[in-house]
Amino acid sequence: YHQNKTIACAKQGIRLIHIFEYEWDTREKLIKQYLNSIINNNKRIVYARNTCIKEVDNNTKKQFLNENHLQGNINSSINYGCFVNDHLIGMMTFGKARNQNVEQYEIYRLCWLSDIACIGGTEKLFNYFLKNINPESIVTYSDISKFTGNVYTRLGFIADKITKPGYVWV
């Protein structure tokens, strides 16, 4: 029923954000940062042309995602970071597609520091992946309980379907 409410609100132009008890219990700080970034929109603007994209080692990826992504770290084989003066401000991670045998790669995580708006940064990260890996196909997912998925539309993805909600062990 949460998914139905989200879809009904979206059809009316309303963005509904669900925060579940287990999320609040385990990631309260990140939830507050996320909500603050939506409500206040007082982010520092960085332009992608002033950044560089580099591969990120697993330890740096793990720490960055655990500190900045609502779902935390994930085991990924390709990790690209967006840097300003050697300071990591954003990241996109990739791996083999997990839920489909049709697609070759999947975007696992997209994450930015909560106080940064990097104009063109997501596109720069994704294009770096396309240029260096040259994948045949790629899929990604967006958690509509919190996000709109519009960032993936900007990258050229087409929404195929809304999957059934998953489950969480708490």
Side-chain angles (χ1 to χ4, degrees):
Y1 70 96
H2 292 298
Q3 187 180 63
N4 292 337
K5 287 190 292 186
T6 301
I7 294 167
C9 285
K11 288 179 180 176
Q12 298 296 317
I14 298 167
R15 182 174 177 188
L16 178 62
I17 298 170
H18 300 273
I19 300 168
F20 300 100
E21 181 180 11
Y22 76 90
E23 294 171 315
W24 189 259
D25 289 343
T26 59
R27 297 204 170 264
E28 178 182 347
K29 180 182 174 187
L30 283 176
I31 295 288
K32 286 179 178 178
Q33 288 174 343
Y34 171 66
L35 293 173
N36 187 48
S37 72
I38 293 170
I39 295 167
N40 291 325
N41 200 19
N42 57 349
K43 296 182 180 188
R44 182 169 48 110
I45 303 293
V46 174
Y47 294 95
R49 66 179 171 267
N50 299 323
T51 67
C52 66
I53 307 299
K54 297 189 277 190
E55 287 189 43
V56 176
D57 65 81
N58 279 325
N59 289 333
T60 303
K61 174 207 59 155
K62 181 179 180 179
Q63 180 178 354
F64 188 84
L65 291 178
N66 282 334
E67 292 175 359
N68 298 288
H69 195 281
L70 293 174
Q71 295 173 319
N73 184 42
I74 190 168
N75 187 19
S76 54
S77 57
I78 301 168
N79 310 305
Y80 294 135
C82 185
F83 292 83
V84 174
N85 300 325
D86 289 327
H87 179 68
L88 180 60
I89 64 166
M91 176 176 289
M92 190 178 275
T93 70
F94 306 83
K96 293 186 184 236
R98 297 172 290 181
N99 296 327
Q100 296 181 0
N101 294 330
V102 178
E103 307 300 339
Q104 183 182 16
Y105 285 97
E106 179 180 334
I107 298 175
Y108 288 168
R109 296 284 190 264
L110 171 60
C111 181
W112 296 94
L113 293 176
S114 63
D115 64 338
I116 298 283
C118 185
I119 310 301
T122 299
E123 291 84 350
K124 189 170 183 176
L125 281 164
F126 188 62
N127 287 332
Y128 190 87
F129 170 77
L130 294 177
K131 180 181 175 187
N132 287 287
I133 303 300
N134 194 27
E136 293 177 21
S137 58
I138 186 164
V139 66
T140 192
Y141 299 88
S142 181
D143 179 357
I144 65 169
S145 73
K146 299 194 181 36
F147 305 99
T148 63
N150 291 341
V151 66
Y152 298 118
T153 304
R154 283 197 338 254
L155 295 178
F157 285 87
I158 298 168
D160 181 41
K161 63 182 174 182
I162 296 178
T163 60
K164 294 179 181 178
Y167 60 89
V168 177
W169 289 91
V170 180

